[in-house]
Amino acid sequence: FIQYYLDGKESIVSNFSFSKLTGEQTVFYTSGKLLSKKNYLNDTLHGGETNYYENGKVQWSTNYKMGAEHGSYKYYHENGQLWTEKIHVDGLLMSATTFSDTGDQIENGTLENGNGTLKHFQKTGELYLIETYEDGVLVSEEQFGEFDW
């Protein structure tokens, strides 16, 4: 199934089986460049998902197991450097590592084996959010402003 922008360019290309999203779905920017690819099984995210900056570099990628994040989630700076890597097990966040846009590791909290805090930073390096996890589940958060995309 293909959806189009008003100018005739493809916006979303999806695969269906028995009226349910199954297989790869591809989404495009209005410019025609690739925005995202994700995989579904019976309307549920299952397999890989990758989003791209309009410059073509990977913005983030993750994997799903029947709708729950499972495995490595990686978010990248626009220059291609890894920003954050999170490890999920059946939807539960177990660990996270954060890096500057030059590749230096940044202290980002105490999260280990699903327990502790996780600090989130703006591109400028300013702290904007602290999350607290217990057994991989978010239990509280303290926000210091909005994330500046």
Side-chain angles (χ1 to χ4, degrees):
F1 179 78
I2 302 175
Q3 293 174 279
Y4 296 91
Y5 288 109
L6 293 176
D7 65 4
K9 291 180 185 169
E10 291 180 352
S11 65
I12 302 174
V13 178
S14 304
N15 294 292
F16 289 87
S17 178
F18 301 104
S19 300
K20 294 187 182 231
L21 273 170
T22 298
E24 186 174 83
Q25 180 185 66
T26 307
V27 181
F28 299 92
Y29 285 102
T30 55
S31 66
K33 293 181 179 178
L34 181 61
L35 170 62
S36 70
K37 285 187 174 187
K38 53 185 103 176
N39 290 283
Y40 288 89
L41 180 62
N42 296 324
D43 280 342
T44 302
L45 284 166
H46 186 73
E49 178 177 8
T50 304
N51 275 45
Y52 299 86
Y53 287 106
E54 199 159 1
N55 68 14
K57 291 184 180 180
V58 173
Q59 182 179 28
W60 59 268
S61 63
T62 193
N63 288 288
Y64 293 92
K65 182 176 164 185
M66 296 310 297
E69 281 191 277
H70 187 79
S72 178
Y73 163 93
K74 294 180 179 181
Y75 191 96
Y76 296 88
H77 291 278
E78 212 162 340
N79 68 4
Q81 281 283 350
L82 181 62
W83 188 340
T84 298
E85 181 174 21
K86 297 178 181 179
I87 304 298
H88 292 87
V89 176
D90 294 325
L92 303 174
L93 181 59
M94 296 288 106
S95 65
T97 308
T98 303
F99 301 90
S100 71
D101 61 357
T102 58
D104 298 319
Q105 188 168 341
I106 298 171
E107 188 279 315
N108 68 340
T110 62
L111 183 64
E112 188 175 328
N113 296 318
N115 295 293
T117 60
L118 178 59
K119 296 177 182 178
H120 296 269
F121 299 90
Q122 303 282 10
K123 292 178 184 179
T124 59
E126 294 175 62
L127 179 67
Y128 78 93
L129 178 67
I130 298 176
E131 298 173 325
T132 302
Y133 288 84
E134 292 179 7
D135 298 321
V137 176
L138 177 65
V139 294
S140 69
E141 59 184 20
E142 183 179 1
Q143 194 162 351
F144 304 98
E146 295 296 318
F147 181 67
D148 181 18
W149 291 97

